Short mmCIF file of all heavy atoms in Angstrom, two decimals:
data_model
loop_
_atom_site.label_atom_id
_atom_site.label_comp_id
_atom_site.label_asym_id
_atom_site.label_seq_id
_atom_site.Cartn_x
_atom_site.Cartn_y
_atom_site.Cartn_z
N VAL A 112 9.82 -15.56 2.93
CA VAL A 112 11.03 -15.08 3.60
C VAL A 112 11.00 -15.32 5.12
O VAL A 112 11.86 -14.83 5.85
CB VAL A 112 11.31 -13.57 3.30
CG1 VAL A 112 11.57 -13.37 1.81
CG2 VAL A 112 10.18 -12.67 3.78
N ARG A 115 14.08 -16.41 7.17
CA ARG A 115 15.14 -15.39 7.26
C ARG A 115 14.58 -14.10 7.89
O ARG A 115 14.87 -13.79 9.04
CB ARG A 115 15.73 -15.12 5.87
CG ARG A 115 17.05 -14.35 5.90
CD ARG A 115 16.90 -12.84 6.03
NE ARG A 115 16.11 -12.23 4.96
CZ ARG A 115 15.69 -10.96 4.99
NH1 ARG A 115 15.98 -10.18 6.01
NH2 ARG A 115 14.96 -10.49 4.00
N ASP A 116 13.75 -13.36 7.16
CA ASP A 116 13.25 -12.08 7.67
C ASP A 116 12.40 -12.32 8.92
O ASP A 116 12.43 -11.54 9.88
CB ASP A 116 12.43 -11.38 6.58
CG ASP A 116 12.44 -9.86 6.70
OD1 ASP A 116 12.73 -9.35 7.80
OD2 ASP A 116 12.13 -9.18 5.71
N GLY A 117 11.64 -13.42 8.90
CA GLY A 117 10.76 -13.73 10.01
C GLY A 117 11.50 -14.02 11.31
O GLY A 117 11.11 -13.56 12.38
N GLN A 119 14.89 -13.46 11.99
CA GLN A 119 16.12 -12.72 12.32
C GLN A 119 15.96 -11.78 13.52
O GLN A 119 16.93 -11.43 14.17
CB GLN A 119 16.62 -11.94 11.09
CG GLN A 119 15.77 -10.75 10.71
CD GLN A 119 16.26 -10.03 9.44
OE1 GLN A 119 17.11 -10.53 8.74
NE2 GLN A 119 15.70 -8.87 9.16
N GLU A 146 13.44 -18.19 1.30
CA GLU A 146 14.69 -17.61 1.80
C GLU A 146 14.90 -18.15 3.20
O GLU A 146 14.11 -17.87 4.11
CB GLU A 146 14.58 -16.07 1.80
CG GLU A 146 15.91 -15.40 2.04
CD GLU A 146 15.87 -13.93 1.67
OE1 GLU A 146 15.75 -13.61 0.47
OE2 GLU A 146 15.93 -13.09 2.58
N TYR A 241 17.98 -6.77 -3.11
CA TYR A 241 16.97 -6.05 -2.30
C TYR A 241 17.38 -4.60 -2.21
O TYR A 241 18.56 -4.31 -1.95
CB TYR A 241 17.00 -6.54 -0.86
CG TYR A 241 16.26 -7.80 -0.52
CD1 TYR A 241 16.97 -8.96 -0.22
CD2 TYR A 241 14.88 -7.82 -0.42
CE1 TYR A 241 16.30 -10.13 0.15
CE2 TYR A 241 14.21 -8.99 -0.06
CZ TYR A 241 14.92 -10.13 0.22
OH TYR A 241 14.25 -11.27 0.60
N SER A 243 16.26 -1.61 0.31
CA SER A 243 15.46 -1.32 1.49
C SER A 243 15.10 0.17 1.55
O SER A 243 15.69 0.97 0.83
CB SER A 243 16.24 -1.66 2.76
OG SER A 243 16.33 -3.05 2.92
N GLY A 277 11.84 -2.91 -0.98
CA GLY A 277 11.47 -3.10 0.41
C GLY A 277 10.81 -1.89 1.06
O GLY A 277 11.36 -0.79 1.07
N ASP A 278 9.62 -2.14 1.64
CA ASP A 278 9.03 -1.16 2.56
C ASP A 278 9.40 -1.66 3.95
O ASP A 278 8.61 -2.28 4.66
CB ASP A 278 7.51 -1.10 2.37
CG ASP A 278 6.88 -0.05 3.27
OD1 ASP A 278 7.61 0.80 3.83
OD2 ASP A 278 5.63 -0.07 3.43
N THR A 279 10.64 -1.38 4.32
CA THR A 279 11.30 -1.96 5.48
C THR A 279 10.54 -1.75 6.78
O THR A 279 10.51 -2.62 7.64
CB THR A 279 12.71 -1.33 5.60
OG1 THR A 279 13.28 -1.30 4.30
CG2 THR A 279 13.60 -2.08 6.57
N ILE A 280 9.95 -0.56 6.93
CA ILE A 280 9.27 -0.24 8.19
C ILE A 280 7.76 -0.07 7.99
O ILE A 280 7.07 0.48 8.84
CB ILE A 280 9.89 1.01 8.86
CG1 ILE A 280 9.99 2.17 7.86
CG2 ILE A 280 11.25 0.67 9.47
CD1 ILE A 280 10.28 3.52 8.51
N HIS A 307 8.19 -6.09 -1.41
CA HIS A 307 8.52 -6.64 -0.08
C HIS A 307 7.92 -5.70 0.96
O HIS A 307 8.56 -4.76 1.40
CB HIS A 307 10.04 -6.73 0.01
CG HIS A 307 10.59 -7.28 1.29
ND1 HIS A 307 11.11 -8.56 1.39
CD2 HIS A 307 10.77 -6.73 2.51
CE1 HIS A 307 11.56 -8.76 2.62
NE2 HIS A 307 11.36 -7.67 3.33
N PHE A 308 6.68 -5.96 1.32
CA PHE A 308 5.99 -5.06 2.25
C PHE A 308 6.02 -5.62 3.67
O PHE A 308 5.62 -6.76 3.91
CB PHE A 308 4.53 -4.87 1.83
CG PHE A 308 4.37 -4.08 0.56
CD1 PHE A 308 3.88 -4.69 -0.60
CD2 PHE A 308 4.72 -2.74 0.50
CE1 PHE A 308 3.74 -3.97 -1.78
CE2 PHE A 308 4.58 -2.01 -0.68
CZ PHE A 308 4.09 -2.63 -1.82
N HIS A 309 6.44 -4.78 4.60
CA HIS A 309 6.23 -5.08 6.02
C HIS A 309 4.87 -4.50 6.39
O HIS A 309 4.44 -3.50 5.82
CB HIS A 309 7.37 -4.52 6.87
CG HIS A 309 8.62 -5.36 6.75
ND1 HIS A 309 8.94 -6.32 7.68
CD2 HIS A 309 9.56 -5.43 5.79
CE1 HIS A 309 10.06 -6.94 7.30
NE2 HIS A 309 10.46 -6.42 6.16
N ASP A 331 7.07 -10.90 -1.79
CA ASP A 331 7.73 -11.53 -0.65
C ASP A 331 6.74 -11.52 0.52
O ASP A 331 6.04 -10.51 0.74
CB ASP A 331 8.97 -10.72 -0.21
CG ASP A 331 10.02 -10.61 -1.31
OD1 ASP A 331 9.91 -11.28 -2.34
OD2 ASP A 331 10.98 -9.82 -1.11
N GLY A 338 8.50 -11.33 11.59
CA GLY A 338 9.63 -10.63 10.98
C GLY A 338 9.88 -9.20 11.34
O GLY A 338 9.16 -8.59 12.13
N GLY A 339 10.94 -8.67 10.74
CA GLY A 339 11.35 -7.30 10.95
C GLY A 339 12.86 -7.19 10.92
O GLY A 339 13.57 -8.16 11.15
N CYS A 340 13.34 -5.97 10.64
CA CYS A 340 14.78 -5.75 10.56
C CYS A 340 15.26 -5.17 11.88
O CYS A 340 14.81 -4.12 12.32
CB CYS A 340 15.08 -4.79 9.42
SG CYS A 340 16.82 -4.37 9.29
N ALA A 346 10.36 -1.58 13.08
CA ALA A 346 9.95 -2.48 12.00
C ALA A 346 9.29 -3.71 12.59
O ALA A 346 9.77 -4.28 13.54
CB ALA A 346 11.17 -2.89 11.18
N SER A 347 8.16 -4.11 12.02
CA SER A 347 7.56 -5.37 12.45
C SER A 347 7.46 -6.29 11.25
O SER A 347 8.10 -6.04 10.23
CB SER A 347 6.22 -5.12 13.13
OG SER A 347 5.34 -4.55 12.21
N GLY A 348 6.66 -7.34 11.37
CA GLY A 348 6.70 -8.43 10.41
C GLY A 348 6.34 -8.08 8.97
O GLY A 348 5.73 -7.05 8.68
N ASN A 349 6.71 -9.00 8.10
CA ASN A 349 6.32 -8.92 6.68
C ASN A 349 4.82 -9.18 6.58
O ASN A 349 4.21 -9.74 7.49
CB ASN A 349 7.02 -10.02 5.88
CG ASN A 349 8.51 -9.89 5.89
OD1 ASN A 349 9.16 -10.34 6.81
ND2 ASN A 349 9.07 -9.28 4.87
MG1 MG B 3 12.41 -7.20 5.23
#
Side-chain angles (χ1 to χ4, degrees):
V112 297
R115 194 278 301 170
D116 208 340
Q119 71 183 11
E146 191 164 292
Y241 278 108
S243 288
D278 183 14
T279 316
I280 50 167
H307 181 104
F308 292 113
H309 284 263
D331 299 351
C340 177
S347 63
N349 298 84

